[in-house]
């Protein structure tokens, strides 16, 4: 007996269940990541201002290094999900191991570069004479955990590709608890000061990487996948990740330009900008969770040669992105009287930030579309287009942002330029999604 085709409503419900099942745990894991830095800051802050300043500089350097290589998660998710869709779990895990080996190689290179140059890097970030020694100490110790951090990224991509976002959530929560406990014990119990905080973070990251490796190794043994490094596979992972690296660097350049422009506007503007940027980043976690679900789901559909399913999933996720964006925008408008006093009691800074927050609120539906389509194209392995689109966006944003001070525009004008940047991204991504050129089916792109 032939089974009746699923109704549009049933298809939407199936997509909704998949999106929620992957996005909610992914959101929890994303939120847990910045809690590491918050815990370190809360513990080190009681040692003194110089120590806290040193931690802030070193953490910024470390997070930049890790953030630049986030392609290890994105590219691995897409590649593994395709092979899962094709029904070849052995090849999926083998692909994941290639990503993990690449992470270890990059991590070793970062250590080799950072250890001797740590003082110069700290000085480049403008550390004061009192904060510089603490920043150098923290950076030199914490960089030893970079390979583990990058393995966590790659292994997270493996599990996401396998349609598992719950395990990364559990590992992230366990890592946060271990990090906090180790920091307290080593900083105060062992009286190691800021060095104790650095060692606590390294140990927690190594522990997280070890858990991930155990999970991946168990899967490899179950499906008879090789754990040995494969030069061709590692090289393929690097080639797939290179366009995403360019995309990430371009995006970070945009954020750095925005901060530099805000600094030229005055002390109140840069203070307000940091508040607005922190909220914008927090909102991005919710939208990025849907994007992560998109990477895993789209990769699986394309790997299964289901182009129609990929289109339907893309359409439904865009609807989710818009809806979540609208909700987040309304929350920003409603919560802004409560949000601003948490960061500053200065009425000038509050008055400067208020209209910029309204711009952020209005732009959230646009951001929702951008994050979702970004995830869809990553899941499709469409990295080269994402790289060129982001370079184009950077080229458009840069002159507009740099003209803000010249025309007497304040922080609100700068965030209007940020909204223009997101609109530009939305247009480039929408045009690509409409073209259908991203739809390349099969176990490999």
């Amino acid at each position: 007996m032939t089974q009746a085709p699923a109704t549009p409503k049933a298809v939407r419900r199936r997509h909704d269940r998949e999106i929620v099942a992957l996005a909610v745990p992914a959101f929890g894991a994303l939120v847990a990541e910045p809690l590491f830095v918050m815990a370190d800051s809360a513990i080190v802050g009681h040692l003194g201002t110089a120590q806290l300043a040193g931690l802030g500089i070193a953490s910024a350097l470390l997070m930049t290094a890790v953030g630049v290589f986030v392609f290890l998660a994105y590219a691995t998710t897409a590649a593994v999900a395709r092979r899962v869709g094709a029904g070849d779990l052995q090849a999926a895990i083998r692909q994941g191991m290639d990503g993990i080996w690449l992470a270890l190689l990059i991590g070793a290179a970062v250590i080799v570069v950072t250890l001797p140059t740590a003082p110069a890097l700290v000085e480049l970030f403008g550390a004061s004479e009192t904060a510089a020694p603490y920043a150098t100490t923290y950076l030199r110790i914490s960089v030893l955990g970079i390979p583990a951090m990058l393995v966590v990224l790659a292994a997270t991509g493996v599990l996401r590709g396998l349609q598992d976002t719950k395990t990364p959530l559990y590992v992230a929560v366990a890592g946060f608890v271990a990090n906090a406990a180790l920091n307290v014990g080593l900083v105060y119990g062992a009286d190691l000061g800021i060095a104790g905080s650095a060692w606590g973070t390294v140990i927690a990251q190594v522990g997280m990487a070890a858990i991930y490796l155990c999970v991946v190794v168990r899967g490899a043994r179950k499906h008879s996948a090789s754990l040995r490094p494969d030069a061709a596979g590692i090289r393929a992972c690097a080639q797939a990740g290179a366009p995403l690296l360019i995309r990430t660097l371009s995006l970070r350049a945009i954020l750095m330009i925005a901060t530099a422009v805000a600094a030229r506007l005055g002390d109140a503007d840069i203070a307000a900008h940091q508040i607005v940027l922190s909220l914008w980043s927090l909102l991005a976690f919710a939208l990025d969770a849907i994007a992560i679900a998109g990477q895993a789901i789209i990769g699986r559909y394309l790997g299964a040669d289901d182009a129609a399913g990929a289109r339907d999933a893309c359409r439904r996720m865009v609807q989710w992105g818009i809806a979540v964006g609208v909700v987040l925008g309304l929350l920003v408008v409603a919560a802004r009287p409560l949000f601003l006093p948490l960061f500053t009691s200065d009425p000038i800074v509050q008055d400067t930030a208020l209209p910029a927050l309204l711009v952020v609120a209005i732009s959230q539906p646009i951001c929702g579309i951008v994050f979702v389509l970004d995830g869809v194209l990553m899941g499709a392995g469409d990295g080269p287009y994402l790289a060129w689109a982001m370079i184009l966006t950077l080229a458009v944003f840069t002159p507009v942002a740099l003209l803000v001070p010249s025309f007497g525009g304040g922080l609100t004008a700068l965030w209007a330029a940020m909204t223009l940047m997101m609109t530009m991204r939305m247009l480039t991504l929408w045009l690509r999604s409409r073209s259908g050129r991203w739809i390349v089916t099969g176990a490999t792109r």
Side-chain angles (χ1 to χ4, degrees), residues 406-429:
S406 301
F407 284 91
L411 188 68
T412 304
L414 176 60
W415 276 93
M418 290 286 286
T419 301
L420 172 65
M421 177 270 294
M422 293 302 290
T423 303
M424 183 70 184
R425 290 186 67 192
M426 181 183 70
L427 289 175
T428 57
L429 296 172

Side-chain angles (χ1 to χ4, degrees), residues 39-40 43 175-185:
D40 289 358
I43 294 167
F176 167 72
V177 173
N179 178 67
L182 286 165
N183 268 258
V184 171

